[in-house]
Amino acid sequence: MRLADLMGARVLEPTGTEIGHVSDVRLVEQPTPDETGATVLRIEGLVVAAKRRTQLLAYDHRPVDGPWPLARLARRAARHARWAPWETIASHQLPERLGDAATIRLKCPATELSLLTDVHHQWASERARA
Amino acid sequence: MSPAQAAEPTRRTAGRGYSARFHLLDRQVVDPDGKPVCNVDDLDLAHDEHGRLCVTAILVGPAALAPRLQGLPARWLAAVTRRMSISRTEDPARLSMNHVTHIGAVLTAALPEGHDHVHALEDWMRDNVIGRLPGAGHASG
């Protein structure tokens, strides 16, 4: 499986309703069990953009605090985006032919997912601690 | 943040998070001397013992890039890549993620000896076409 199989994939609720597409994938370094200090890059979850064509202006990985016109634009672009932790992913179906979007089905409705803007600051504090 | 991490803020350490689109895809990979190696065209994923997806390798070349394009351009690039391929498989060139030591503005990879040939078609063109042109030996690059 490749990252390209996740990026741009259609995201469906358990009922089959499409809620958007995967705009980004968040990865976090995890220590390996062998205690050598080495890490593996593990997928933590998916950023789901509400609109098919929205790319969230590449500001979907951190909060934008300024300059204010850019911050307002970024908040507006990401206001409907959701954060889907990997635990909420029920299934992933590859496309039938190259170039088509894959399909991801969630275990829960979109309303149970956190808003991306709410988890941004949590990520920023985790990054500062790391 | 430990002093070691402060001294090397881009070194891969547990807890650091990345955006695939912003921090990884299309970034350049360089060796420890700063010499360009390749670009990150895609990432290979595999399930770990807990069933979570982890990155195992950087995928390089048009065969890796094609699935990232949408619709007809993806199929065209894949078809051209198949016809231009000089390897026996259709799989893209790969660079193990274990070699990547730092992730910052560029990805730094400590490559083992002899592991610097990720552009097979480019190498073949240099050796068999460009290198045989009159004056090729005087090229500055």
Side-chain angles (χ1 to χ4, degrees):
Chain A
M1 186 171 175
R2 298 187 191 178
L3 191 69
D5 296 327
L6 295 175
M7 299 289 284
R10 299 164 62 231
V11 181
L12 309 181
E13 288 183 310
T15 57
T17 307
E18 183 170 346
I19 62 166
H21 71 282
V22 177
S23 172
D24 198 7
V25 176
R26 179 172 166 82
L27 306 104
V28 174
E29 299 278 10
Q30 299 290 336
T32 53
D34 55 13
E35 297 181 356
T36 58
T39 58
V40 291
L41 208 45
R42 195 176 77 177
I43 290 183
E44 284 294 291
L46 313 173
V47 174
V48 182
K51 293 180 181 174
R52 189 74 191 98
R53 300 279 176 197
T54 304
Q55 288 295 320
L56 302 185
L57 304 173
Y59 286 113
D60 36 8
H61 65 287
R62 64 186 168 108
V64 180
D65 298 322
W68 72 261
L70 206 54
R72 179 174 287 188
L73 197 62
R75 276 198 297 272
R76 182 174 172 77
R79 70 188 186 283
H80 297 306
R82 300 273 175 176
W83 165 244
W86 193 254
E87 295 79 13
T88 63
I89 308 299
S91 65
H92 175 261
Q93 187 179 352
L94 294 174
E96 291 184 2
R97 64 175 182 170
L98 188 71
D100 291 346
T103 304
I104 287 173
R105 194 175 286 269
L106 298 173
K107 292 177 182 174
C108 60
T111 50
E112 290 185 19
L113 300 178
S114 302
L115 285 171
L116 180 67
T117 46
D118 291 342
V119 295
H120 265 158
H121 291 283
Q122 181 188 335
W123 293 350
S125 60
E126 286 174 4
R127 187 169 180 83
R129 280 200 304 272
Chain B
M1 188 181 289
S2 70
Q5 288 170 337
E8 285 191 293
T10 60
R11 177 171 280 281
R12 294 181 62 191
T13 49
R16 287 198 65 190
Y18 306 98
S19 153
R21 191 152 60 87
F22 187 79
H23 294 111
L24 298 169
L25 290 176
D26 300 321
R27 293 277 173 162
Q28 191 169 52
V29 181
V30 300
D31 70 8
D33 298 324
K35 181 182 168 190
V37 176
C38 60
N39 271 21
V40 180
D41 289 319
D42 202 357
L43 297 173
D44 192 34
L45 308 173
H47 290 279
D48 65 8
E49 63 271 21
H50 305 295
R52 297 289 295 262
L53 280 173
C54 296
V55 179
T56 56
I58 292 169
L59 303 178
V60 185
L65 188 62
R68 287 179 54 201
L69 306 179
Q70 294 179 346
L72 209 51
R75 293 188 279 279
W76 278 351
L77 182 58
V80 170
T81 303
R82 275 196 299 274
R83 282 158 181 75
M84 297 286 286
S85 176
I86 58 168
S87 65
R88 291 177 184 171
T89 69
E90 291 183 8
D91 295 333
R94 49 190 293 130
L95 182 65
S96 172
M97 201 64 194
N98 293 334
H99 298 318
V100 177
T101 58
H102 296 72
I103 299 177
V106 295
L107 277 68
T108 306
L111 297 174
E113 197 70 28
H115 192 302
D116 55 353
H117 301 291
V118 290
H119 297 292
L121 179 61
E122 199 173 299
D123 293 341
W124 185 91
M125 285 289 287
R126 183 190 61 228
D127 296 341
N128 295 283
V129 180
I130 306 296
R132 296 186 181 187
L133 294 175
H138 302 291
S140 58

